[in-house]
Amino acid sequence: MWQQQAFVLDSKFNAYRATNHPNFRTLYIRRRNQLLREKSKQDDIIPSSNIRRKYLKIRSAILQNKYNVHLDIQSNSAGSQSTSMMSLNMNKDASVEMDFFSRSYYDLTPIPTSQAQASRALVGNNTIEENYAFDSVHHIYDQHSDAVTVLKFANNDKSKLCCASNDGTLSICDVLMSPPSVLAILKYHTGPVTGCDWSASDELIASCSLDATICFWDAVRHCCLRCVNDPFFSSVLVCSFNPVNNNILITGNKAGFVCVLNVSTGMFPKGGKQKIGGQILSLAIDSSGQIIWTGNDKGEIVSLKFNSSDGSVLTKCHRIITTPKRGAITCLSWRSWISREARDPMLLANCSNNILCLYKVSESDDGLLQLKKKFLVPHMHSNHLLRSTFCPIMSFRQGACVVTSSEDSCVYFVDVERESNYAVNKLQGHACVTLGVTFNYDETMLATSDIQGIIIIWSRQPQKHNNSL
Protein backbone atom coordinates (compact mmCIF):
# COMPACT_ATOMS: atom_id res chain seq x y z
CA MET A 1 0.00 0.00 0.00
CA TRP A 2 2.30 2.69 -1.30
CA GLN A 3 -0.22 5.46 -0.55
CA GLN A 4 0.10 4.76 3.18
CA GLN A 5 3.88 4.63 2.85
CA ALA A 6 3.75 8.06 1.22
CA PHE A 7 1.57 9.34 4.04
CA VAL A 8 4.05 8.00 6.61
CA LEU A 9 6.80 9.90 4.81
CA ASP A 10 4.83 13.16 4.86
CA SER A 11 3.82 12.80 8.50
CA LYS A 12 7.47 12.16 9.37
CA PHE A 13 8.39 15.65 8.16
CA ASN A 14 5.21 17.40 9.27
CA ALA A 15 6.83 18.73 12.44
CA TYR A 16 9.27 20.75 10.28
CA ARG A 17 6.58 22.13 7.97
CA ALA A 18 5.39 25.72 8.68
CA THR A 19 6.70 25.68 12.25
CA ASN A 20 4.89 28.92 13.15
CA HIS A 21 1.51 27.74 11.83
CA PRO A 22 0.43 24.46 13.47
CA ASN A 23 -3.07 24.71 12.01
CA PHE A 24 -1.62 24.79 8.51
CA ARG A 25 0.42 21.65 9.25
CA THR A 26 -2.75 19.87 10.31
CA LEU A 27 -4.67 21.01 7.23
CA TYR A 28 -1.77 20.01 4.98
CA ILE A 29 -1.45 16.49 6.34
CA ARG A 30 -5.23 15.95 6.30
CA ARG A 31 -5.42 17.10 2.67
CA ARG A 32 -2.45 14.91 1.81
CA ASN A 33 -4.20 11.92 3.35
CA GLN A 34 -7.36 12.71 1.39
CA LEU A 35 -5.51 12.94 -1.93
CA LEU A 36 -3.67 9.68 -1.34
CA ARG A 37 -6.91 7.89 -0.47
CA GLU A 38 -8.53 9.19 -3.65
CA LYS A 39 -5.51 8.07 -5.64
CA SER A 40 -5.79 4.57 -4.21
CA LYS A 41 -9.32 4.29 -5.63
CA GLN A 42 -8.22 5.00 -9.19
CA ASP A 43 -8.02 1.78 -11.12
CA ASP A 44 -7.35 3.11 -14.60
CA ILE A 45 -3.69 4.04 -14.09
CA ILE A 46 -1.72 1.80 -11.75
CA PRO A 47 1.99 2.63 -11.64
CA SER A 48 4.48 -0.21 -11.43
CA SER A 49 6.18 -1.06 -8.14
CA ASN A 50 9.47 0.34 -9.48
CA ILE A 51 7.85 3.72 -10.20
CA ARG A 52 6.32 3.74 -6.71
CA ARG A 53 9.67 3.03 -5.07
CA LYS A 54 11.35 5.74 -7.14
CA TYR A 55 8.62 8.21 -6.23
CA LEU A 56 9.03 7.54 -2.50
CA LYS A 57 12.82 7.75 -2.76
CA ILE A 58 12.75 11.03 -4.69
CA ARG A 59 10.14 12.61 -2.40
CA SER A 60 12.15 11.60 0.66
CA ALA A 61 15.28 13.20 -0.83
CA ILE A 62 13.37 16.40 -1.67
CA LEU A 63 11.90 16.71 1.85
CA GLN A 64 15.23 16.03 3.54
CA ASN A 65 16.92 18.62 1.34
CA LYS A 66 14.15 21.20 1.85
CA TYR A 67 14.14 21.00 5.65
CA ASN A 68 17.83 20.14 6.00
CA VAL A 69 16.91 17.09 8.05
CA HIS A 70 18.32 13.65 7.35
CA LEU A 71 16.00 11.05 8.78
CA ASP A 72 15.70 7.39 8.00
CA ILE A 73 12.31 5.99 8.87
CA GLN A 74 13.44 2.43 9.20
CA SER A 75 16.45 3.19 11.39
CA ASN A 76 14.39 5.48 13.64
CA SER A 77 11.84 2.77 14.13
CA ALA A 78 14.33 0.04 14.91
CA GLY A 79 17.01 1.99 16.72
CA SER A 80 15.02 4.43 18.81
CA GLN A 81 15.50 4.43 22.56
CA SER A 82 13.12 2.14 24.38
CA THR A 83 10.46 3.85 26.48
CA SER A 84 9.95 0.82 28.68
CA MET A 85 10.60 1.17 32.39
CA MET A 86 12.16 -2.25 32.79
CA SER A 87 14.93 -4.30 31.28
CA LEU A 88 13.76 -6.89 28.78
CA ASN A 89 16.68 -9.16 27.98
CA MET A 90 15.12 -11.92 25.96
CA ASN A 91 16.39 -14.12 23.19
CA LYS A 92 14.52 -13.56 19.99
CA ASP A 93 12.46 -16.60 19.17
CA ALA A 94 12.81 -17.73 15.60
CA SER A 95 9.14 -18.65 15.58
CA VAL A 96 8.32 -14.96 15.74
CA GLU A 97 9.46 -14.72 12.11
CA MET A 98 6.68 -16.95 10.87
CA ASP A 99 3.73 -15.62 8.93
CA PHE A 100 1.57 -13.94 11.60
CA PHE A 101 -1.46 -13.88 9.35
CA SER A 102 -1.48 -17.56 8.50
CA ARG A 103 -2.04 -19.67 11.63
CA SER A 104 -2.73 -19.76 15.35
CA TYR A 105 0.16 -20.14 17.77
CA TYR A 106 -1.64 -22.65 19.92
CA ASP A 107 -4.48 -24.84 18.82
CA LEU A 108 -6.95 -23.94 21.53
CA THR A 109 -10.72 -23.80 21.46
CA PRO A 110 -11.82 -20.48 19.92
CA ILE A 111 -14.42 -18.23 21.45
CA PRO A 112 -17.88 -19.65 20.71
CA THR A 113 -19.63 -17.71 17.99
CA SER A 114 -22.28 -18.17 15.33
CA GLN A 115 -24.03 -16.22 12.60
CA ALA A 116 -25.32 -13.13 14.42
CA GLN A 117 -27.95 -11.72 12.08
CA ALA A 118 -29.54 -9.51 14.75
CA SER A 119 -26.19 -8.08 15.81
CA ARG A 120 -25.12 -7.27 12.27
CA ALA A 121 -28.50 -5.71 11.49
CA LEU A 122 -27.93 -3.13 14.21
CA VAL A 123 -24.92 -1.79 12.31
CA GLY A 124 -26.17 -2.23 8.76
CA ASN A 125 -24.76 -5.70 7.97
CA ASN A 126 -21.30 -4.27 7.32
CA THR A 127 -18.27 -6.53 7.22
CA ILE A 128 -15.91 -6.39 10.18
CA GLU A 129 -13.32 -4.67 7.96
CA GLU A 130 -15.86 -1.93 7.17
CA ASN A 131 -16.80 -1.57 10.82
CA TYR A 132 -13.20 -0.80 11.72
CA ALA A 133 -12.13 1.32 8.76
CA PHE A 134 -10.39 4.00 10.84
CA ASP A 135 -8.10 5.31 8.10
CA SER A 136 -9.18 8.96 7.89
CA VAL A 137 -6.89 11.39 9.76
CA HIS A 138 -9.00 13.84 11.75
CA HIS A 139 -6.16 15.75 13.45
CA ILE A 140 -2.51 15.50 14.46
CA TYR A 141 -1.16 16.84 17.78
CA ASP A 142 2.52 17.50 18.45
CA GLN A 143 2.50 19.43 21.75
CA HIS A 144 4.81 16.94 23.52
CA SER A 145 8.58 16.86 23.12
CA ASP A 146 9.01 13.18 24.05
CA ALA A 147 7.16 9.88 23.78
CA VAL A 148 3.44 9.87 24.56
CA THR A 149 3.03 6.59 26.41
CA VAL A 150 -0.61 6.60 27.55
CA LEU A 151 -3.81 7.99 26.01
CA LYS A 152 -7.23 8.06 27.71
CA PHE A 153 -10.52 9.46 26.43
CA ALA A 154 -12.91 10.73 29.08
CA ASN A 155 -15.60 8.30 30.20
CA ASN A 156 -18.67 10.39 29.38
CA ASP A 157 -17.26 12.93 26.94
CA LYS A 158 -16.31 11.70 23.50
CA SER A 159 -14.16 14.75 22.73
CA LYS A 160 -11.85 15.08 25.76
CA LEU A 161 -8.53 13.26 25.56
CA CYS A 162 -5.76 13.05 28.19
CA CYS A 163 -2.18 12.34 27.04
CA ALA A 164 0.72 11.33 29.32
CA SER A 165 4.26 11.91 28.10
CA ASN A 166 7.86 11.13 28.96
CA ASP A 167 8.51 14.89 28.88
CA GLY A 168 6.98 15.06 32.38
CA THR A 169 3.67 16.64 31.40
CA LEU A 170 0.09 15.72 30.65
CA SER A 171 -2.11 17.44 28.11
CA ILE A 172 -5.87 17.68 27.78
CA CYS A 173 -7.19 17.96 24.23
CA ASP A 174 -10.60 18.53 22.69
CA VAL A 175 -10.63 16.57 19.46
CA LEU A 176 -14.07 17.77 18.29
CA MET A 177 -13.53 21.52 18.60
CA SER A 178 -13.20 23.48 15.39
CA PRO A 179 -10.29 23.34 15.00
CA PRO A 180 -9.23 20.60 17.46
CA SER A 181 -7.14 22.17 20.19
CA VAL A 182 -5.00 21.59 23.28
CA LEU A 183 -6.99 22.84 26.28
CA ALA A 184 -4.18 22.62 28.83
CA ILE A 185 -0.67 21.38 29.52
CA LEU A 186 -0.43 20.03 33.08
CA LYS A 187 2.99 20.41 34.71
CA TYR A 188 3.94 19.20 38.17
CA HIS A 189 5.77 15.89 37.85
CA THR A 190 9.57 16.03 37.69
CA GLY A 191 9.92 12.74 35.80
CA PRO A 192 8.28 10.94 32.87
CA VAL A 193 4.54 10.44 33.32
CA THR A 194 3.81 6.71 33.12
CA GLY A 195 0.04 6.54 33.54
CA CYS A 196 -3.20 8.49 33.79
CA ASP A 197 -6.89 7.82 34.35
CA TRP A 198 -10.18 9.76 34.44
CA SER A 199 -12.60 9.48 37.34
CA ALA A 200 -16.06 8.17 36.50
CA SER A 201 -17.51 11.70 36.53
CA ASP A 202 -14.58 13.07 34.45
CA GLU A 203 -14.00 15.72 37.13
CA LEU A 204 -10.62 14.34 38.21
CA ILE A 205 -7.56 13.01 36.42
CA ALA A 206 -5.00 10.88 38.26
CA SER A 207 -1.44 10.60 36.99
CA CYS A 208 1.67 8.73 38.10
CA SER A 209 5.34 9.19 37.33
CA LEU A 210 8.85 7.84 37.59
CA ASP A 211 9.43 10.57 40.18
CA ALA A 212 7.54 8.31 42.66
CA THR A 213 4.50 10.60 42.91
CA ILE A 214 0.78 10.40 42.16
CA CYS A 215 -1.00 13.64 41.23
CA PHE A 216 -4.69 14.49 41.15
CA TRP A 217 -5.83 17.18 38.73
CA ASP A 218 -8.99 19.24 38.40
CA ALA A 219 -10.04 18.34 34.86
CA VAL A 220 -12.08 21.55 34.48
CA ARG A 221 -9.81 24.17 36.03
CA HIS A 222 -6.66 22.32 34.92
CA CYS A 223 -4.83 22.63 38.22
CA CYS A 224 -3.08 20.16 40.52
CA LEU A 225 -5.20 19.45 43.61
CA ARG A 226 -2.90 17.05 45.44
CA CYS A 227 0.42 15.28 44.99
CA VAL A 228 1.11 12.10 46.99
CA ASN A 229 4.40 10.24 47.37
CA ASP A 230 4.50 6.51 46.77
CA PRO A 231 4.68 4.78 50.18
CA PHE A 232 7.87 2.95 49.13
CA PHE A 233 9.33 5.96 47.31
CA SER A 234 9.44 3.84 44.18
CA SER A 235 8.63 4.88 40.62
CA VAL A 236 4.88 4.49 40.01
CA LEU A 237 4.24 2.81 36.68
CA VAL A 238 0.45 2.50 36.50
CA CYS A 239 -2.69 3.85 38.19
CA SER A 240 -6.43 3.31 37.84
CA PHE A 241 -9.56 4.56 39.62
CA ASN A 242 -11.83 1.99 41.20
CA PRO A 243 -14.89 2.04 38.88
CA VAL A 244 -17.36 1.76 41.77
CA ASN A 245 -15.67 4.03 44.30
CA ASN A 246 -13.74 6.87 42.68
CA ASN A 247 -12.39 7.86 46.08
CA ILE A 248 -10.06 4.88 45.66
CA LEU A 249 -7.08 4.78 43.31
CA ILE A 250 -5.12 1.58 42.65
CA THR A 251 -1.41 2.00 41.84
CA GLY A 252 1.45 -0.29 40.89
CA ASN A 253 5.12 0.56 41.31
CA LYS A 254 8.56 -0.49 40.17
CA ALA A 255 9.24 -2.23 43.50
CA GLY A 256 6.45 -4.73 42.75
CA PHE A 257 3.78 -3.40 45.14
CA VAL A 258 0.10 -2.83 44.38
CA CYS A 259 -1.30 -0.13 46.65
CA VAL A 260 -4.69 1.36 47.54
CA LEU A 261 -4.77 5.15 47.83
CA ASN A 262 -7.62 7.13 49.41
CA VAL A 263 -8.09 10.14 47.12
CA SER A 264 -9.78 12.46 49.62
CA THR A 265 -7.25 11.92 52.42
CA GLY A 266 -4.15 11.20 50.37
CA MET A 267 -3.43 8.23 52.66
CA PHE A 268 -2.62 4.58 51.98
CA PRO A 269 -4.89 2.59 54.33
CA LYS A 270 -3.59 -0.26 56.43
CA GLY A 271 -3.93 -3.57 54.62
CA GLY A 272 -4.05 -1.84 51.25
CA LYS A 273 -0.60 -2.91 50.06
CA GLN A 274 0.41 -6.23 48.51
CA LYS A 275 3.79 -7.39 47.25
CA ILE A 276 3.43 -8.95 43.79
CA GLY A 277 7.05 -8.99 42.66
CA GLY A 278 8.79 -7.73 39.58
CA GLN A 279 7.69 -4.37 38.23
CA ILE A 280 3.94 -3.71 38.02
CA LEU A 281 3.38 -2.63 34.42
CA SER A 282 -0.38 -3.03 33.97
CA LEU A 283 -3.68 -3.05 35.86
CA ALA A 284 -7.26 -4.02 35.09
CA ILE A 285 -10.31 -3.81 37.39
CA ASP A 286 -13.69 -5.46 36.83
CA SER A 287 -16.93 -3.49 36.89
CA SER A 288 -17.69 -4.49 40.49
CA GLY A 289 -14.45 -2.88 41.65
CA GLN A 290 -13.67 -5.97 43.73
CA ILE A 291 -11.35 -7.92 41.43
CA ILE A 292 -8.01 -6.48 40.32
CA TRP A 293 -5.56 -8.06 37.90
CA THR A 294 -1.94 -6.94 37.71
CA GLY A 295 0.73 -7.78 35.16
CA ASN A 296 4.47 -7.53 35.77
CA ASP A 297 7.72 -7.70 33.82
CA LYS A 298 8.11 -11.41 34.67
CA GLY A 299 5.13 -12.50 32.59
CA GLU A 300 2.89 -13.06 35.60
CA ILE A 301 -0.75 -12.06 36.05
CA VAL A 302 -1.90 -11.91 39.66
CA SER A 303 -5.51 -11.49 40.74
CA LEU A 304 -6.35 -9.65 43.94
CA LYS A 305 -9.59 -9.13 45.81
CA PHE A 306 -10.42 -5.69 47.09
CA ASN A 307 -12.73 -5.43 50.11
CA SER A 308 -13.53 -1.84 51.01
CA SER A 309 -15.83 -2.90 53.87
CA ASP A 310 -12.77 -4.33 55.65
CA GLY A 311 -10.79 -1.12 55.49
CA SER A 312 -9.66 -1.23 51.86
CA VAL A 313 -7.92 -4.58 52.28
CA LEU A 314 -6.17 -6.23 49.33
CA THR A 315 -5.92 -10.02 49.27
CA LYS A 316 -3.89 -12.02 46.74
CA CYS A 317 -5.84 -14.80 45.07
CA HIS A 318 -4.26 -16.39 41.98
CA ARG A 319 -1.01 -16.15 40.04
CA ILE A 320 -0.54 -17.45 36.50
CA ILE A 321 2.41 -17.42 34.09
CA THR A 322 1.34 -16.35 30.62
CA THR A 323 4.10 -17.87 28.47
CA PRO A 324 7.13 -20.15 29.01
CA LYS A 325 9.45 -17.27 28.05
CA ARG A 326 7.70 -14.96 30.54
CA GLY A 327 7.32 -11.93 28.32
CA ALA A 328 6.45 -8.77 30.24
CA ILE A 329 2.71 -8.02 30.58
CA THR A 330 2.59 -4.46 29.27
CA CYS A 331 -1.20 -4.03 29.13
CA LEU A 332 -4.32 -5.65 30.59
CA SER A 333 -7.90 -4.97 29.43
CA TRP A 334 -11.11 -6.36 30.93
CA ARG A 335 -14.54 -6.63 29.31
CA SER A 336 -17.73 -8.05 30.79
CA TRP A 337 -18.54 -9.67 27.43
CA ILE A 338 -17.05 -9.25 23.99
CA SER A 339 -19.85 -10.32 21.65
CA ARG A 340 -23.46 -11.41 21.79
CA GLU A 341 -22.30 -14.98 21.25
CA ALA A 342 -19.49 -14.79 23.84
CA ARG A 343 -21.12 -13.50 27.01
CA ASP A 344 -18.34 -14.52 29.39
CA PRO A 345 -16.13 -11.84 30.99
CA MET A 346 -12.75 -11.69 29.25
CA LEU A 347 -9.27 -10.39 30.07
CA LEU A 348 -6.81 -9.46 27.32
CA ALA A 349 -3.06 -9.48 28.03
CA ASN A 350 -0.31 -7.96 25.90
CA CYS A 351 2.91 -9.98 26.23
CA SER A 352 6.26 -8.65 25.06
CA ASN A 353 7.08 -11.71 22.99
CA ASN A 354 4.55 -10.96 20.26
CA ILE A 355 1.72 -12.86 21.92
CA LEU A 356 -1.79 -11.83 22.88
CA CYS A 357 -3.49 -13.93 25.53
CA LEU A 358 -7.26 -13.97 25.91
CA TYR A 359 -8.59 -15.33 29.21
CA LYS A 360 -12.06 -16.24 30.36
CA VAL A 361 -12.78 -14.93 33.85
CA SER A 362 -14.13 -17.61 36.15
CA GLU A 363 -17.56 -17.26 37.76
CA SER A 364 -15.85 -17.41 41.16
CA ASP A 365 -15.27 -14.14 42.99
CA ASP A 366 -11.48 -14.43 43.15
CA GLY A 367 -10.50 -13.47 39.58
CA LEU A 368 -9.44 -16.96 38.46
CA LEU A 369 -8.49 -16.97 34.77
CA GLN A 370 -8.91 -19.74 32.20
CA LEU A 371 -6.87 -19.46 29.00
CA LYS A 372 -9.24 -19.13 26.06
CA LYS A 373 -6.86 -18.36 23.26
CA LYS A 374 -3.18 -17.58 22.81
CA PHE A 375 -1.84 -16.52 19.46
CA LEU A 376 0.89 -14.64 17.71
CA VAL A 377 -0.35 -11.35 16.37
CA PRO A 378 0.74 -9.43 13.27
CA HIS A 379 2.94 -6.89 15.04
CA MET A 380 6.32 -6.63 16.72
CA HIS A 381 6.54 -6.40 20.51
CA SER A 382 9.77 -6.95 22.42
CA ASN A 383 11.22 -3.80 24.01
CA HIS A 384 8.49 -1.21 24.56
CA LEU A 385 5.40 -0.78 26.73
CA LEU A 386 2.82 -1.30 24.01
CA ARG A 387 -0.88 -0.80 24.75
CA SER A 388 -4.00 -2.49 23.47
CA THR A 389 -7.70 -2.10 24.10
CA PHE A 390 -11.01 -3.75 23.33
CA CYS A 391 -13.16 -1.90 20.84
CA PRO A 392 -15.88 -0.34 23.02
CA ILE A 393 -19.06 -1.29 21.14
CA MET A 394 -17.93 -4.43 19.42
CA SER A 395 -20.60 -6.45 21.21
CA PHE A 396 -23.11 -5.28 18.58
CA ARG A 397 -21.01 -6.42 15.64
CA GLN A 398 -19.78 -9.53 13.97
CA GLY A 399 -16.41 -10.52 15.40
CA ALA A 400 -14.65 -9.27 18.52
CA CYS A 401 -11.87 -6.80 17.82
CA VAL A 402 -9.03 -5.31 19.78
CA VAL A 403 -6.68 -2.60 18.61
CA THR A 404 -2.99 -2.75 19.50
CA SER A 405 0.12 -0.64 18.98
CA SER A 406 3.29 -2.04 17.44
CA GLU A 407 7.03 -1.59 17.21
CA ASP A 408 6.83 -1.64 13.40
CA SER A 409 5.13 1.82 13.53
CA CYS A 410 1.67 0.46 12.63
CA VAL A 411 -1.57 0.12 14.57
CA TYR A 412 -3.43 -3.18 14.13
CA PHE A 413 -7.07 -4.18 14.48
CA VAL A 414 -7.17 -7.85 15.50
CA ASP A 415 -10.25 -10.08 15.52
CA VAL A 416 -9.73 -12.36 18.50
CA GLU A 417 -12.52 -14.70 17.40
CA ARG A 418 -10.69 -15.80 14.28
CA GLU A 419 -8.43 -18.84 14.22
CA SER A 420 -6.22 -17.29 11.51
CA ASN A 421 -5.87 -14.08 9.49
CA TYR A 422 -6.41 -12.07 12.66
CA ALA A 423 -5.65 -8.59 11.31
CA VAL A 424 -8.71 -6.88 9.85
CA ASN A 425 -7.17 -3.41 9.45
CA LYS A 426 -3.78 -1.72 9.70
CA LEU A 427 -3.08 1.99 10.17
CA GLN A 428 0.27 3.30 8.95
CA GLY A 429 0.20 6.99 9.79
CA HIS A 430 3.10 6.91 12.28
CA ALA A 431 6.75 6.89 11.31
CA CYS A 432 8.13 5.22 14.47
CA VAL A 433 7.13 2.86 17.31
CA THR A 434 3.49 3.35 18.31
CA LEU A 435 2.63 3.19 22.02
CA GLY A 436 -0.78 4.43 23.16
CA VAL A 437 -4.18 3.51 21.71
CA THR A 438 -7.66 4.49 22.92
CA PHE A 439 -11.23 4.90 21.65
CA ASN A 440 -13.79 7.44 22.72
CA TYR A 441 -16.87 5.85 24.20
CA ASP A 442 -19.01 5.85 21.04
CA GLU A 443 -16.14 4.55 18.90
CA THR A 444 -16.21 7.42 16.43
CA MET A 445 -12.62 8.46 17.18
CA LEU A 446 -9.43 6.51 17.73
CA ALA A 447 -6.32 8.15 19.19
CA THR A 448 -2.82 6.71 18.73
CA SER A 449 0.60 7.96 19.86
CA ASP A 450 4.27 7.19 19.25
CA ILE A 451 7.74 7.55 20.77
CA GLN A 452 8.31 10.90 19.04
CA GLY A 453 5.33 12.48 20.81
CA ILE A 454 3.02 12.57 17.79
CA ILE A 455 -0.68 11.90 18.46
CA ILE A 456 -2.97 11.05 15.54
CA ILE A 457 -6.75 11.23 15.83
CA TRP A 458 -8.41 8.84 13.40
CA SER A 459 -12.07 9.00 12.40
CA ARG A 460 -14.24 6.23 11.09
CA GLN A 461 -15.26 6.17 7.45
CA PRO A 462 -19.01 6.63 6.82
CA GLN A 463 -20.68 3.24 7.02
CA LYS A 464 -22.97 1.66 4.50
CA HIS A 465 -26.41 0.68 5.73
CA ASN A 466 -28.82 -1.83 4.34
CA ASN A 467 -32.07 0.04 3.76
CA SER A 468 -33.93 -3.18 3.12
CA LEU A 469 -33.90 -4.12 6.79
Side-chain angles (χ1 to χ4, degrees), residues 185-198:
I185 301 291
L186 309 180
K187 300 179 181 179
Y188 196 91
H189 291 291
T190 59
V193 182
T194 54
C196 63
D197 195 22
W198 295 80

Side-chain angles (χ1 to χ4, degrees), residues 2 49 53 94 115 143 167 181 213 291 304 319 358 405 423:
W2 72 275
S49 59
R53 284 195 295 268
Q115 297 297 320
Q143 68 269 20
D167 65 9
S181 61
T213 63
I291 303 299
L304 303 99
R319 182 188 301 265
L358 189 67
S405 54

Side-chain angles (χ1 to χ4, degrees), residues 28-254:
Y28 176 90
I29 204 68
R30 289 177 64 184
R31 178 59 175 161
R32 180 71 169 149
N33 178 62
Q34 180 185 6
L35 292 174
L36 288 169
R37 288 175 57 199
E38 292 175 354
K39 181 66 176 176
S40 68
K41 298 177 182 178
Q42 297 178 4
D43 298 326
D44 52 343
I45 301 177
I46 304 178
S48 67
S49 59
N50 289 333
I51 295 177
R52 294 170 181 169
R53 284 195 295 268
K54 289 179 180 179
Y55 167 78
L56 293 173
K57 184 177 180 179
I58 292 172
R59 182 160 182 81
S60 176
I62 291 174
L63 290 172
Q64 292 188 55
N65 182 64
K66 176 177 176 61
Y67 299 112
N68 195 26
V69 176
H70 299 281
L71 299 175
D72 179 48
I73 294 176
Q74 296 300 326
S75 64
N76 278 346
S77 177
S80 55
Q81 182 179 5
S82 172
T83 60
S84 62
M85 309 309 169
M86 72 291 188
S87 174
L88 298 178
N89 297 318
M90 299 174 293
N91 295 324
K92 188 173 183 181
D93 189 356
S95 65
V96 172
E97 301 298 328
M98 73 179 182
D99 182 2
F100 297 125
F101 296 89
S102 60
R103 64 186 182 88
S104 174
Y105 187 60
Y106 287 90
D107 185 18
L108 299 176
T109 304
I111 300 171
T113 186
S114 61
Q115 297 297 320
Q117 300 296 337
S119 300
R120 290 200 298 273
L122 291 174
V123 290
N125 279 338
N126 294 311
T127 65
I128 194 166
E129 288 80 3
E130 292 172 330
N131 286 331
Y132 298 108
F134 281 86
D135 57 359
S136 178
V137 175
H138 176 71
H139 190 71
I140 296 178
Y141 292 100
D142 59 357
Q143 68 269 20
H144 291 286
S145 60
D146 205 341
V148 175
T149 56
V150 179
L151 299 171
K152 288 284 183 70
F153 271 106
N155 296 303
N156 302 303
D157 188 330
K158 61 184 179 182
S159 65
K160 298 294 191 307
L161 174 69
C162 183
C163 316
S165 173
N166 279 355
D167 65 9
T169 68
L170 296 96
S171 60
I172 301 177
C173 307
D174 192 318
V175 303
L176 295 182
M177 288 184 68
S178 183
S181 61
V182 179
L183 300 179
I185 301 291
L186 309 180
K187 300 179 181 179
Y188 196 91
H189 291 291
T190 59
V193 182
T194 54
C196 63
D197 195 22
W198 295 80
S199 65
S201 63
D202 296 331
E203 296 176 348
L204 287 179
I205 295 175
S207 63
C208 56
S209 170
L210 291 186
D211 64 7
T213 63
I214 303 105
C215 289
F216 296 98
W217 308 85
D218 187 317
V220 178
R221 294 183 295 166
H222 307 147
C223 59
C224 184
L225 301 175
R226 167 171 283 152
C227 186
V228 180
N229 290 320
D230 179 80
F232 302 97
F233 299 99
S234 175
S235 298
V236 187
L237 304 181
V238 64
C239 63
S240 181
F241 280 104
N242 187 300
V244 174
N245 182 2
N246 272 197
N247 194 42
I248 296 296
L249 186 79
I250 309 298
T251 67
N253 65 20
K254 193 173 182 179

Side-chain angles (χ1 to χ4, degrees), residues 304-321:
L304 303 99
K305 190 170 183 179
F306 173 74
N307 192 339
S308 59
S309 62
D310 291 341
S312 303
V313 173
L314 281 178
T315 305
K316 284 192 289 188
C317 297
H318 299 281
R319 182 188 301 265
I320 65 169
I321 298 175

